[in-house]
Amino acid sequence: GQNIDQPTEMTATEGAIVQINCTYQTSGFNGLFWYQQHAGEAPTFLSYNVLDGLEEKGRFSSFLSRSKGYSYLLLKELQMKDSASYLCAVRDSNYQLIWGAGTKLIIKP
Amino acid sequence: IAGITQAPTSQILAAGRRMTLRCTQDMRHNAMYWYRQDLGLGLRLIHYSNTAGTTGKGEVPDGYSVSRANTDDFPLTLASAVPSQTSVYFCASSASSEGGSNTGELFFGEGSRLTVL
């Protein structure tokens, strides 16, 4: 079966760096997405990786290793507004998105 | 403001009643999707449409139906609601159902919180 694994919850301190991991086992691979979802709101797109390596976008970076079925989202200079759930999703060989359950990130002052 | 509009935002429904969740987008996206989101689970695809006039079943289609008469609208109908359909429902759209020249990122509506008693 297809599976996306990510930690259920993480806690970090304002101003620090946090890495949220995602491992996947899917039928084929056509890209990996990270979305941010604040409580009670809709998910919003953060990043997309289709080739191995690091994609940097401001305070957020996303890394992909296709051979290891592994990605991480790196958040730097954490702010209180970064408290949210972070969703990892993989597009499989049928171009269907398989979603992880999300990682709830709690930022403490 | 361009985007996706869902209605209603929230609804309490008696079991056995029929309910239609509305979804409209003004981005001229070809592909549209309905997901449900339950605590502790990832987003689960109910139905999708790659282009106007076509629909397909997702991971959890039972008890739901959709139609795509035009590009903009993609309503989701629960013919006879049951308590297990209590969930938050998200409509989403993307420019294309496949990668191509764009990432295929999804744009989500604000969600419809449905409670079936």
Side-chain angles (χ1 to χ4, degrees):
Chain A
Q2 307 200 91
N3 195 49
I4 309 284
D5 285 319
Q6 47 181 135
T8 302
E9 186 174 297
M10 299 181 70
T11 302
T13 304
E14 188 177 16
I17 299 173
V18 71
Q19 177 175 311
I20 302 174
N21 295 325
C22 171
T23 58
Y24 63 89
Q25 291 177 309
T26 57
S27 302
F29 179 85
N30 282 297
L32 184 143
F33 297 80
W34 285 97
Y35 283 78
Q36 180 189 60
Q37 185 177 24
H38 286 102
E41 298 183 7
T44 56
F45 171 77
L46 283 179
S47 69
Y48 171 73
N49 295 71
V50 67
L51 300 176
D52 290 351
L54 189 69
E55 294 281 341
E56 296 186 81
K57 192 184 294 186
R59 293 189 300 113
F60 292 8
S61 302
S62 57
F63 172 82
L64 174 67
S65 169
R66 288 172 296 171
S67 63
K68 295 182 179 178
Y70 168 71
S71 172
Y72 67 73
L73 181 69
L74 191 72
L75 291 74
K76 304 175 185 176
E77 301 170 13
L78 286 170
Q79 302 175 9
M80 297 304 293
K81 67 179 182 180
D82 296 331
S83 291
S85 289
Y86 292 86
L87 314 181
C88 175
V90 173
R91 190 159 57 194
D92 69 11
S93 57
N94 294 319
Y95 288 90
Q96 295 295 328
L97 277 177
I98 312 300
W99 294 83
T103 299
K104 182 178 181 180
L105 178 63
I106 299 168
I107 309 297
K108 295 185 175 180
Chain B
I1 299 176
I4 297 183
T5 303
Q6 290 185 232
T9 303
S10 179
Q11 183 76 43
I12 299 174
L13 187 67
R17 297 297 296 269
R18 180 184 180 89
M19 177 71 194
T20 295
L21 303 180
R22 300 183 298 278
C23 176
T24 299
Q25 55 106 354
D26 61 2
M27 296 175 283
R28 307 305 294 171
H29 283 172
N30 283 323
M32 296 189 74
Y33 312 85
W34 274 105
Y35 287 94
R36 60 178 289 173
Q37 188 175 41
D38 302 288
L39 198 63
L41 299 177
L43 287 163
R44 292 184 293 169
L45 182 65
I46 304 170
H47 285 286
Y48 66 94
S49 170
N50 289 333
T51 189
T54 69
T55 62
K57 293 181 179 180
E59 180 186 356
V60 288
D62 294 344
Y64 306 94
S65 63
V66 292
S67 61
R68 186 86 183 278
N70 56 61
T71 298
D72 299 343
D73 301 301
F74 191 44
L76 176 74
T77 297
L78 289 68
S80 180
V82 295
S84 62
Q85 292 178 311
T86 294
S87 187
V88 179
Y89 291 86
F90 286 102
C91 181
S93 72
S94 65
S96 171
S97 58
E98 300 185 358
S101 61
N102 63 73
T103 65
E105 68 179 271
L106 297 185
F107 295 82
F108 286 86
E110 289 303 309
S112 296
R113 183 176 296 276
L114 184 66
T115 302
V116 182
L117 301 177

